Amino acid sequence: MTTLDTRRDQPLTEDRPLWERYKAAHHWRSAAEEFDACKFGFWLFLSTEVLLFGGIFCAYAIFRTLYPAAFHEGSASLDWRFGGLNTVVLLLSSYTMATSIYCIQTGKFRRAQVNLVITLVCGFLFLAIKGLFEYMPKWSGWFFDPTMAHGTLFHFVEGYGGKRPGSLFDYPFAVSEQMPIWWSVYYSGTAIHALHVIIGMVLIARVLYRTTKGHYGPSHYTMVEVSGLYWHLVDLIWIFLFPLLYLIH
Amino acid sequence: MTVTNPKTHREEFNELDPHGFELPGHGQHAHHIAVGPFTLRTVLLFLLMFTALTVGAAQAEVWIMHTLDIELPWWVNVVGAMAIAVVKSVLVMGYFMQLKYDNPMNSILMCFCFFALGLFLFFTGLDLFSRGAVYDYKAPQVVAGGTGNQVTQAGGKPMVTAARERWMTEWGPEKFALVHAEVMSHGHAAVHEHAPVVSSENRSRPLTDAPPAHGEPAPHTPSTPAPAAH
Amino acid sequence: MSAIAHAHEHHGSYLEPKGGFWTTVWDWATTVDHKKIGVMYLFAILFMFFLGGMAAMAVRLELLEPVRTVSQTAADGSLVAVIEGQLFGTSDAASIAEGNNIYNRLFTLHGAIMVFMVIVPSVPASLGNFFLPLMLGAKDVAFPRLNLLSWYIYVLGSIFAVAAIILGGVDTGWTFYTPYSTTTDAGYWRVALMTMAAFILGFSSILTGLNFVVTVHKLRAPGMGWFDMPLFVWAVYSAAIIQVLATPVIGITLALLTMERVFRIGIFDPALGGDPVLYQHFFWFYSHPVVYVMILPGMGIISDVLSVQSHKKIFGYRAIAFASLGIAAVSFIVWGHHMFTSMSELASTVFSALTFLVAIPTAVKVFNWIATLYKGSIAINTPMLYVLIFLFLFSIGGLTGLPLGTLSTDLHLHDSYFVVAHFHYVMMGGTIMGLMAGLHHWWPKMFGKMYHEPSAMTGAILVFLGFNVTFFTQFFLGTQGMPRRYASYVDGFQTLHIISTVGSWMLLLGFLIHLFVFIHSLAAGKKAPANPWGGLTLEWEAASPPTEHNFDHEPIVKHGPYDFDTARPPHWSAEDYPLPDEPAGPAGTVVRAH
């Protein structure tokens, strides 16, 4: 009974789908209790994630108050349209995630899978926008232009790049002296957030796969709920990061 | 189902069914609340509206500054953006994350979490922003900016200055101005035109002059050359 | 393991091996049983304790003799500087510098191992894991597989730390203060390794705390309300809340520190516009609450052990329960008292005032314990000895925190040996003595064996004496001005340092005696009854050692955890334990559901 999979001792009848045959682990009194406890436990974990990002927000608050000019200048070189687009993408993905949970709760498995796929696509879009349109030009000066306005997919703008944190800073036209601090806060905040986006996408991909195998249904969808909570947290963090980084005026 | 023993004031259980699972109408299943598509769509709509609002407010602030030449106090931007962000996050947490329909314990937990974060921010800020506040004699002495010596790449200068000088040497002044113009026009909001605020007590800025003697006020001249015209 | 299997007769004990050697190893490696995980943690923690202790012995050995540079007249009449004394057995200037380096690495090793790998997980991960479900009447913690993951994360973190040590160690102090930690040893990865070790260990702590909070909320036996839980559970629960809320901040702190070191992001570097004191804020926001993670479970042990060993209802149950929560709450708003000499006057004043607050719930607990002892039927055995030792040592430690919390005196005592003595009194005189009390109290339950009482009591007395000789002298060293983390010192301090080192040898002897007592108990100890001390809480209902599922049937709680005058302890007969007003009946008043 103390092996890793505590459910293997339950009898499996072949005709019922996996989610109907789900039995809670042996130390729980019922599946309902297990679900409630898992949710509560995951909210505890989410609070740890909030406090993790809290450190970044504290650094941001301190340095923005100490060096408002540097933060102002730095924020002005961020394009709020990309940030806004990313916000919309993440909000949409939160919506599709919540919808997929609703679909599983009501037994609409195909629609749930479609929603999960859209969530994943949105996550990927977020990372692509961030990486290709924001990080790459700022770091190196190379622009990715799908409209091929300059004739090629990638073109280099001299002197644009070098907006890097700390000792890697190499941008020629900065005015405020504490610009490296601004870029450090920007990169550390958004990079740690992007890492969480990737983790969230892994969770959702796994949930998608297991949904196709029939593991989740109206009476058992704990993992879907929990992955959804993680994804919503990722969205929440961005809701705060976006105005703080992009909309300083 | 359970009665209280008057002598011990403890609940007496039916020992065959202590959790009351076998009672009629009291099943083992959780009450799964399904948040319907109409609610979700409405919440999404509100979230998108608030996003537009927050962007609009920021743009309005810029417009007010440029057109009406009124400079709003710095906290307006922060308070406004944060207020809208809080509303959005309450919507996400309440409806998408189903806190509204859940065991209230989860909401209480998140309140504690944000409270702890608030304590962290408050007390750290209490220290960081009051360094020069209490005793005047301390204020001008802080040269905490140092001379940038630790970053060997910068060779004793602030990194921003070092980067500018490095590129200036490599390109020469004409190309520098050309590239500058090109970069500034490359499809994003223009750099704000106000000169950097020169700071006093606890704002680290490398000074090229000797630090002021005890009792003298800190110099208020910027140590960097005037920004290139743009 | 086979000795244990033969020695006791209970079938299905969790310790019974399931097959051959490799089967047993695999069983333990993949177990989700909280008892096995608790035992594994216990052995790892005791091992790390000895490792860190050896580093401390080396530190104290080095401090026997100071090194000094004196001017002497040479043969040709010129003045030369001569080095007297030795540092790690060498006397020339170049190797003095290297010797100082070694010393720095030794005390960093001692601090880092003791804080991150011993004391923080000591009670929660070992005794907490083992007894939390048992005391609640549950079959396991809320998330058993997460528990196993916590264990493996702890192992991984410890491997990182040991790797950093083997590669040469770190000399920044366990607090990794900037700017030294971000600029030292450039090109070597040891600091990054050590901070990553602490980062990983933090996750272990978070997941354990998370598990415990959910377990306490969701897995209590029927009839057990919040105020029917043993106080050990209250203490571990309060500590778990701190673990969940505070530990992520050290995570982000160490991540930012590593980024500062590798990328020079500059937020802690004044040359780039940052602030090194900001690092201290980030660091101590976790590290202060974590000292309450260290002490609260120890206090929980004391509440339970004291009550059982003096066979008396705990005085002021609710006061102690709320005091545990109160300590956890106040712990989050006092961290600045580690940084009085770095902060602004306003912040220092505020933090000093708030620091005094935390003494209040602590004192409530101490007074309640003493009141419990009054008119109790006090057993003189090792657990009780350690309880009394705890009361004495922790009170000294707590009281000496007051001059450190007072701004004016702290300016003189900061970073002196007074601080070292204070935190050793509370951490070692508090948590470790509590751990020893709990270990001896619950050893029969955990392993089904009794230990040799007279030897253990000798060990306890030696530990007590050795501890006081070692650390009480350090209070005087501190007030006279001896700074901490110094390998050498002025001559006037030497006497006290010698006394302190001799005390450390007594301490080592005491712990070695305990080690032998434990080994002897496992190999050849007397078989333990299910309830040797007459405790009333649910863990005494289970067999010694417990079966895999803890209880045969779900227990229903019908009396409070400390109702010694109205309830009979499980497994005790009516003749041994007559109650004032009850008809003669079968042993134990806890009824099992069928």
Side-chain angles (χ1 to χ4, degrees):
Chain A
M1 310 291 186
T2 52
T3 56
L4 275 175
D5 184 345
T6 56
R7 299 170 185 85
R8 211 160 268 160
D9 52 24
Q10 312 293 345
L12 291 171
T13 51
E14 293 301 313
D15 50 323
R16 291 156 72 211
L18 280 170
W19 56 268
E20 273 187 33
R21 289 181 258 151
Y22 178 76
K23 286 230 162 202
H26 72 109
H27 60 286
W28 292 110
R29 296 168 198 138
S30 66
E33 285 223 2
E34 186 188 52
F35 178 67
D36 270 338
C38 284
K39 260 224 228 182
F40 181 50
F42 204 74
W43 274 105
L44 280 164
F45 182 71
L46 288 185
S47 69
T48 68
E49 294 281 5
V50 167
L51 279 158
L52 190 91
F53 278 95
I56 301 270
F57 286 119
C58 182
Y60 171 90
I62 300 284
F63 288 117
R64 176 169 171 181
T65 316
L66 287 178
Y67 311 123
F71 271 56
H72 201 136
E73 184 189 335
S75 172
S77 58
L78 296 180
D79 195 342
W80 61 265
R81 291 169 301 183
F82 284 130
L85 182 60
N86 268 341
T87 310
V88 167
V89 162
L90 273 187
L91 287 175
L92 205 65
S93 71
S94 265
Y95 166 74
T96 52
M97 186 72 221
T99 308
S100 74
I101 292 178
Y102 172 79
C103 292
I104 292 189
Q105 283 175 315
T106 49
K108 306 190 181 77
F109 298 114
R110 187 99 301 209
R111 202 175 294 186
Q113 287 172 38
V114 166
N115 274 301
L116 285 172
V117 167
I118 299 178
T119 312
L120 275 179
V121 165
C122 285
F124 184 72
L125 208 60
F126 177 90
L127 291 172
I129 293 174
K130 181 150 274 311
L132 285 175
F133 293 105
E134 294 198 90
Y135 277 5
M136 198 169 68
K138 292 189 180 58
W139 193 277
S140 65
W142 280 94
F143 280 77
F144 173 72
D145 189 1
T147 67
M148 306 261 260
H150 286 77
T152 49
L153 205 57
F154 292 91
H155 68 273
F156 182 71
V157 174
E158 199 167 16
Y160 190 90
K163 297 169 181 139
R164 304 177 196 143
S167 61
L168 304 168
F169 184 82
D170 199 22
Y171 178 62
F173 309 113
V175 177
S176 319
E177 278 162 11
Q178 293 84 16
M179 283 297 278
I181 292 267
W182 153 260
W183 289 115
S184 304
V185 169
Y186 169 76
Y187 278 110
S188 53
T190 51
I192 295 181
H193 177 258
L195 175 69
H196 283 74
V197 171
I198 295 173
I199 296 173
M201 283 170 67
V202 166
L203 282 176
I204 294 174
R206 183 169 178 270
V207 160
L208 176 64
Y209 173 70
R210 284 169 73 87
T211 309
T212 58
K213 298 285 178 204
H215 276 99
Y216 307 117
S219 61
H220 171 58
Y221 58 96
T222 314
M223 215 33 223
V224 190
E225 178 80 38
V226 149
S227 307
L229 285 177
Y230 193 84
W231 190 255
H232 293 307
L233 179 85
V234 163
D235 184 26
L236 262 182
I237 305 282
W238 184 256
I239 284 176
F240 279 95
L241 273 183
F242 168 60
L244 289 176
L245 291 176
Y246 288 79
L247 301 178
I248 307 176
H249 289 295
Chain B
M1 176 177 60
T2 59
V3 282
T4 311
N5 182 333
K7 197 162 113 177
T8 62
H9 299 284
R10 310 192 65 86
E11 287 176 17
E12 304 272 333
F13 290 87
N14 174 6
E15 282 137 28
L16 295 178
D17 178 29
H19 295 281
F21 284 145
E22 311 305 326
L23 292 171
H26 190 285
Q28 287 199 22
H29 303 292
H31 296 287
H32 297 287
I33 305 287
V35 185
F38 175 72
T39 318
L40 292 176
R41 272 196 276 269
T42 318
V43 169
L44 177 67
L45 207 63
F46 270 101
L47 285 170
L48 292 171
M49 264 170 42
F50 278 118
T51 310
L53 184 65
T54 205
V55 170
Q59 297 296 84
E61 214 178 318
V62 176
W63 182 84
I64 288 175
M65 197 131 48
H66 280 158
T67 322
L68 306 176
D69 224 8
I70 305 170
E71 183 155 339
L72 294 166
W74 62 269
W75 51 263
V76 169
N77 171 270
V78 178
V79 167
M82 282 298 99
I84 300 176
V86 163
V87 169
K88 283 164 80 177
S89 56
V90 164
L91 281 175
V92 168
M93 284 199 286
Y95 291 99
F96 285 169
M97 297 168 99
Q98 298 183 0
L99 268 187
K100 186 170 179 294
Y101 309 98
D102 236 354
N103 189 345
M105 200 63 189
N106 295 340
S107 312
I108 294 174
L109 168 65
M110 284 318 273
C111 285
F112 268 118
C113 165
F114 286 116
F115 184 60
L117 182 60
L119 285 174
F120 182 38
L121 289 168
F122 174 71
F123 283 103
T124 309
L126 183 70
D127 173 34
L128 269 278
F129 303 137
S130 65
R131 290 279 172 80
V134 180
Y135 295 107
D136 293 322
Y137 75 86
K138 260 189 66 187
Q141 300 311 307
V142 177
V143 197
T147 55
N149 274 327
Q150 283 175 286
V151 186
T152 52
Q153 186 190 353
K157 301 189 194 68
M159 297 175 65
V160 161
T161 318
R164 184 180 311 123
E165 286 175 8
R166 185 167 53 248
W167 287 107
M168 181 74 90
T169 322
E170 183 166 323
W171 291 332
E174 300 92 21
K175 184 173 176 194
F176 189 91
L178 267 174
V179 175
H180 193 149
E182 162 77 23
V183 162
M184 286 301 130
S185 71
H186 205 91
H188 61 250
V191 176
H192 194 264
E193 276 161 28
H194 290 322
V197 171
V198 175
S199 54
S200 61
E201 57 260 11
N202 58 351
R203 293 182 189 171
S204 302
R205 292 183 53 245
L207 296 176
T208 51
D209 302 313
H214 180 88
E216 283 179 25
H220 279 275
T221 50
S223 67
T224 56
H230 55 265
Chain C
M1 286 295 163
S2 55
I4 297 169
H6 292 316
H8 67 76
E9 289 145 31
H10 286 277
H11 289 292
S13 138
Y14 80 99
L15 284 170
E16 219 169 73
K18 294 213 162 53
F21 176 72
W22 289 111
T23 320
T24 311
V25 167
W26 182 250
D27 177 46
W28 279 75
T30 56
T31 183
V32 293
D33 182 3
H34 65 103
K35 301 185 287 296
K36 291 199 176 103
I37 294 177
V39 167
M40 290 195 285
Y41 264 114
L42 179 67
F43 287 134
I45 286 164
L46 291 177
F47 173 71
M48 284 301 185
F49 181 60
F50 270 96
L51 210 64
M54 286 301 113
M57 302 304 296
V59 163
R60 281 254 51 98
L61 219 64
E62 162 43 42
L63 286 168
L64 273 177
E65 196 186 352
V67 166
R68 42 183 120 45
T69 317
V70 295
S71 290
Q72 285 185 352
T73 319
D76 58 357
S78 60
L79 279 176
V80 286
V82 169
I83 296 173
E84 284 184 6
Q86 294 192 330
L87 187 61
F88 287 109
T90 59
S91 292
D92 67 280
S95 51
I96 294 281
E98 184 55 33
N100 273 321
N101 211 323
I102 296 176
Y103 183 84
N104 294 346
R105 293 180 200 181
L106 273 176
F107 70 67
T108 306
L109 196 165
H110 170 72
I113 289 187
M114 286 305 198
V115 169
F116 293 117
M117 277 157 272
V118 177
I119 296 228
V120 170
S122 62
V123 176
S126 60
L127 294 175
N129 253 321
F130 200 104
F131 286 104
L132 192 73
L134 279 168
M135 286 180 173
L136 294 175
K139 285 193 192 141
D140 210 317
V141 288
F143 307 118
R145 292 181 298 179
L146 200 66
N147 210 1
L148 185 66
L149 182 67
S150 284
W151 160 247
Y152 278 119
I153 295 178
Y154 173 84
V155 169
L156 184 67
S158 305
I159 290 175
F160 268 66
V162 169
I165 292 164
I166 291 175
L167 286 175
V170 162
D171 60 348
T172 58
W174 77 274
T175 49
F176 306 115
Y177 272 10
T178 55
Y180 185 66
S181 60
T182 48
T183 54
T184 186
D185 267 343
Y188 291 98
W189 285 90
R190 296 196 303 260
V191 172
L193 260 182
M194 195 60 117
T195 52
M196 279 302 105
F199 183 83
I200 294 168
L201 289 164
F203 271 107
S204 172
S205 189
I206 289 176
L207 294 176
T208 303
L210 197 155
N211 230 329
F212 287 172
V213 172
V214 181
T215 310
V216 171
H217 276 264
K218 297 285 184 192
L219 278 171
R220 296 192 303 275
M224 187 182 281
W226 279 87
F227 296 107
D228 301 313
M229 301 193 305
L231 285 169
F232 178 64
V233 174
W234 272 103
V236 170
Y237 174 72
S238 310
I241 293 179
I242 302 179
Q243 278 176 297
V244 166
L245 288 178
T247 318
V249 179
I250 195 72
I252 189 70
T253 308
L254 295 174
L256 288 172
L257 183 72
T258 311
M259 283 195 261
E260 172 87 26
R261 197 175 154 76
V262 174
F263 296 113
R264 301 301 222 98
I265 56 176
I267 58 176
F268 301 136
D269 184 357
L272 295 170
D275 187 357
V277 180
L278 185 65
Y279 170 81
Q280 295 184 24
H281 276 290
F282 275 50
F283 181 84
W284 289 109
F285 181 80
Y286 162 73
S287 301
H288 186 77
V290 89
V291 311
Y292 294 100
V293 171
M294 297 173 195
I295 194 64
L296 275 171
M299 289 175 160
I301 294 179
I302 298 301
S303 299
D304 266 15
V305 173
L306 190 151
S307 183
V308 170
Q309 299 291 354
S310 62
H311 234 75
K312 187 154 170 285
K313 186 168 185 164
I314 194 94
F315 182 90
Y317 173 96
R318 285 194 188 217
I320 296 184
F322 285 123
S324 298
L325 287 178
I327 292 175
V330 177
S331 72
F332 278 96
I333 54 176
V334 297
W335 77 86
H337 64 234
H338 297 269
M339 306 153 49
F340 281 146
T341 52
S342 329
M343 289 190 303
S344 69
E345 287 82 358
L346 175 64
S348 300
T349 317
V350 169
F351 273 119
S352 175
L354 289 170
T355 303
F356 290 120
L357 268 185
V358 80
I360 299 174
T362 317
V364 161
K365 286 187 158 198
V366 173
F367 289 134
N368 281 11
W369 291 323
I370 298 175
T372 309
L373 283 173
Y374 178 65
K375 283 202 177 167
S377 165
I378 298 175
I380 301 294
N381 50 27
T382 314
M384 193 49 158
L385 260 187
Y386 269 115
V387 164
L388 297 172
I389 290 175
F390 176 100
L391 288 176
F392 182 76
L393 295 180
F394 178 73
S395 300
I396 293 180
L399 286 172
T400 52
L402 291 172
L404 293 171
T406 313
L407 262 182
S408 47
T409 46
D410 183 73
L411 287 178
H412 299 279
L413 297 173
H414 178 68
D415 265 356
S416 72
Y417 259 74
F418 194 91
V419 179
V420 174
H422 159 73
F423 67 66
H424 279 94
Y425 263 85
V426 282
M427 289 209 279
M428 188 163 175
T431 308
I432 296 294
M433 301 302 149
L435 178 66
M436 297 304 277
L439 264 184
H440 286 92
H441 180 72
W442 281 307
W443 189 267
K445 177 61 59 187
M446 290 172 82
F447 299 109
K449 303 289 186 73
M450 296 303 287
Y451 56 87
H452 190 241
E453 192 73 76
S455 307
M457 287 189 9
T458 316
I461 293 172
L462 259 178
V463 162
F464 175 68
L465 290 173
F467 182 90
N468 277 311
V469 172
T470 313
F471 292 107
F472 202 73
T473 47
Q474 292 183 4
F475 283 124
F476 299 113
L477 277 171
T479 50
Q480 289 170 18
M482 168 80 198
R484 66 186 285 202
R485 295 176 170 161
Y486 275 38
S488 187
Y489 46 83
V490 297
D491 283 345
F493 291 134
Q494 188 168 16
T495 321
L496 286 173
H497 270 296
I498 293 177
I499 297 173
S500 185
T501 305
V502 169
S504 73
W505 297 336
M506 288 169 64
L507 201 51
L508 176 66
L509 185 59
F511 278 120
L512 281 175
I513 292 179
H514 279 305
L515 179 66
F516 293 136
V517 166
F518 286 150
I519 294 177
H520 170 265
S521 159
L522 286 177
K526 270 205 290 260
K527 181 162 158 354
N531 193 354
W533 320 113
L536 282 172
T537 40
L538 284 178
E539 78 269 23
W540 300 110
E541 258 230 52
S544 292
T547 57
E548 281 205 54
H549 290 295
N550 298 344
F551 304 99
D552 299 324
H553 309 279
E554 187 174 33
I556 298 180
V557 172
K558 293 197 156 187
H559 56 77
Y562 308 110
D563 289 340
F564 290 105
D565 41 350
T566 53
R568 178 175 300 120
H571 303 286
W572 284 50
S573 64
E575 299 96 47
D576 294 327
Y577 202 94
L579 285 176
D581 53 14
E582 56 118 27
T589 55
V590 177
V591 181
R592 286 152 182 69
H594 294 290

